[in-house]
Amino acid sequence: MSASLPNGTIFSIAATYGPAIPFTALTNAAPPQATATAHGLTNSDILELTSGWPLINDRPSRVAASATNTFSLEGFDTTDLIKYPLGGGLGSVRKVLTWQQISQVMQNASSGGEQQSVEWVYLEDGIERSKNTFKKAKVLTLTLADDPAQAWNAVLLAADQDGKNRILRAALPNGGFLYYNVNVGFDPEPKLDANQIMTVTATFRSQGRFIRYAS
């Protein structure tokens, strides 16, 4: 058993990406192996994944077992042929080329993820029944000390304005990593409350499940 504090966590956002690399096959395996001729990827590269399999589409992944024309998507399991039909996972990946640290984080708040349900009653017994349906989208909100000289202002503002997804990375103090593919909202106007540090707010709306790597 163990318990950890988040103190020392460093958030970074993908600043630039390489071109899309299409793959011509994706196996049903754990982890799945992609075939892409002369892809140029190396182990531990972080990818944005586009796939015909909805459960892994728009998610971050990490390269493992890289070879000349193949690589594996670390952390995924596509062995279930019902969820991942044969031949249905084709798509492409984009490598994160550079990261921009988001510094001066004063507060991190998380919302969403609540389990939703549908309820119904049969006339013959009057007993309410319930089934789980979907979970609310997760939203991370970072409150940042206002500082227009910080490079993250331009990166977050560009992400807000172009509406394109970005990968968000949380480097944990225990050496682990959390990765999210997010849609970014950034309000650069500082909050002006008497006797309080001026702050700005960045919101990150998850586009699918996060993935965690132990190191």
Side-chain angles (χ1 to χ4, degrees), residues 4 15 18 43 72 75 80 101 120 145 149 156 164 189-190 192 195 198:
S4 302
N43 290 343
S72 294
D80 188 329
Q101 182 181 343
W120 75 98
L156 293 176
K164 296 178 181 178
E189 181 180 350
L192 306 176
N195 302 315
M198 292 194 299

Side-chain angles (χ1 to χ4, degrees), residues 100-104 144-156 186 200:
Q100 174 60 57
Q101 182 181 343
I102 304 172
S103 59
Q104 303 185 175
L144 311 169
D146 175 53
D147 183 354
Q150 295 295 322
W152 46 256
N153 285 277
V155 176
L156 293 176
F186 178 55
V200 293

